[in-house]
Amino acid sequence: MPGTTASERPADSGEERRGPLIITEDERLLDDLLRLCAAANALPQVAHGLPARQGAWESAPLVIVGDDCAHRLHGVLRRPGVILIGPDTGDREPWRQAVAIGAERVLALPDGERWLVDRIADAAEGIGPPALTVGVIGGRGGAGASTLAGALAVTAARTGRRTLLVDADPLGGGLDVLLGGEKEKGLRWPAFTESRGRVAGAALEEALPRLHALRVLSWDRGPDVAIPPPAMRAVMAAARRRGGVVVVDLPRRVDEATAEALAQVDMGLLLVPTELRAVAAAQRVAVGVRQQLTDLRVVARASPERHGHGLPPADVARLMDLPLAGELPWETGLLVDLARGVPPGAQVRGPLARFCAGFWERVGANEGRAAGERPVPAPESDARRAAEPGPRAARPGRSETAGPDTASGAAAGARAADRDGGRP
């Protein structure tokens, strides 16, 4: 008789997340699936057919059906998120069973174990559209990239977006210091340097310091000054899975860890002071960044000593051969505010906050896009409009799928798997 039993694992401790509904009588398969659920930190239900509890089939975040029980589910109410586990024999029968029960995928174990663990974890975590991820890079030293990154994050949080600010520059002095939260409790980068594979997004968010309505991943004052590339990949993938907005303060030199961060970035902002030497320095920075990131835009920043007398922003963008994301005027009193512990972007009527508000307003249409899609660089006409006086941001155009084959949805899925730590 069809029925439902609880997993033999211990009762939910509060840390385990509601897992899939497993339908099978094959004990060996059940043992394998329970092991994979444990790896995903998810507590499953187990049934031998349609579950006895009303609504369990419809409400489970994911349903995993063994091919031994698939025949019992013919004619069942169709729903998304059904996976059929069948032997890799080349037989067409599992595919016929999958069509009969509305399964979205036929999977063989052990080959599909890594994919299935990620799928279970995604379902248990309630994954939605990935975060819109913006990286900020200084065109030269002292350009103010950390300040802009902090202001973008503060402004995004003020508008109600779920926001995470990531300090990917170990030599930058710490974004928690910039935001006046160096004494705030929470984990810093050294706690994540051993991370590999998949990091739970919810656990990451809860572990980080909360400053000005956003979460911050920064550095402590210890001697560690390196992020292993696998740790950067795992942490950035976890941050993106939480949705909302992720802002990353990036170093100018692209090492392996920075390349991993850039692989997760949707749009890069290269902050370039409006002076010729700064443009020359930024051109060298852009060479390394553009090898990893296709959507890189210029933010032209007026310098205090050249305010009103520097290169026109449109000329800066033209010399850089990059789209212009906007002009950032010099803000009198900004350094004094920072020294007093006022976070960047807190002065809502200041040029910095206005620039950030305009930026998020213009790129906001890209939030909630499908996984693997990126905002496209602003067309030249938008760059010219952004160069007009006042803090403006370039409007994104259409979205295109990231990955080596932009015409293939499978390539987009592979790209998403890479971001979640699935690369060798």
Side-chain angles (χ1 to χ4, degrees), residues 157-244:
R158 188 165 54 235
T159 60
R161 293 171 170 89
R162 181 196 297 271
T163 306
L164 175 60
L165 177 60
V166 178
D167 188 351
D169 185 358
L171 301 180
L175 290 180
D176 56 348
V177 177
L178 179 70
L179 297 179
E182 63 270 24
K183 296 182 180 179
E184 192 73 19
K185 292 182 179 179
L187 299 183
R188 268 68 173 178
W189 261 118
F192 298 97
T193 55
E194 299 301 319
S195 299
R196 300 291 186 274
R198 185 187 181 93
V199 173
L204 171 69
E205 184 178 37
E206 291 300 317
L208 299 178
R210 182 178 175 85
L211 303 170
H212 310 289
L214 60 100
R215 298 286 180 170
V216 182
L217 177 54
S218 187
W219 288 87
D220 62 8
R221 313 287 83 83
D224 292 334
V225 292
I227 308 170
M232 177 66 80
R233 180 193 311 167
V235 169
M236 286 293 300
R240 284 177 54 80
R241 285 196 302 272
R242 294 298 287 166

Side-chain angles (χ1 to χ4, degrees), residues 235-406:
V235 169
M236 286 293 300
R240 284 177 54 80
R241 285 196 302 272
R242 294 298 287 166
V245 165
V246 175
V247 181
V248 191
D249 182 19
L250 293 160
R252 299 192 305 279
R253 185 179 181 85
V254 180
D255 57 13
E256 291 185 13
T258 305
E260 291 289 353
L262 286 168
Q264 309 271 357
V265 167
D266 297 305
M267 180 195 307
L269 299 179
L270 184 62
L271 190 59
V272 185
T274 55
E275 54 188 76
L276 193 57
R277 287 186 62 194
V279 171
Q283 286 172 334
R284 298 176 66 89
V285 174
V287 170
V289 173
R290 293 180 80 174
Q291 292 177 1
Q292 308 293 331
L293 178 65
T294 57
D295 189 353
L296 181 63
R297 311 182 189 189
V298 168
V299 175
R301 177 171 186 172
S303 302
E305 66 276 8
R306 294 178 177 271
H307 184 53
H309 302 286
L311 293 171
D315 286 353
V316 173
R318 178 179 55 79
L319 291 171
M320 294 294 304
D321 193 26
L322 290 171
L324 183 65
E327 177 186 4
L328 185 56
W330 181 257
E331 183 168 336
T332 304
L334 176 62
L335 297 179
V336 175
D337 284 345
L338 294 177
R340 291 169 45 215
V342 178
Q347 303 288 4
V348 294
R349 296 185 179 180
L352 180 58
R354 293 203 310 271
F355 172 87
C356 294
F359 173 82
W360 289 125
E361 182 180 350
R362 291 178 184 251
V363 303
N366 286 281
E367 293 179 69
R369 67 203 180 285
E373 293 182 355
R374 294 175 177 243
V376 166
E380 186 177 351
S381 59
D382 277 349
R384 283 197 295 266
R385 281 194 290 271
E388 296 173 2
R392 296 176 180 265
R395 283 200 298 262
R398 58 180 178 83
S399 292
E400 63 183 2
T401 302
D405 180 4
T406 58

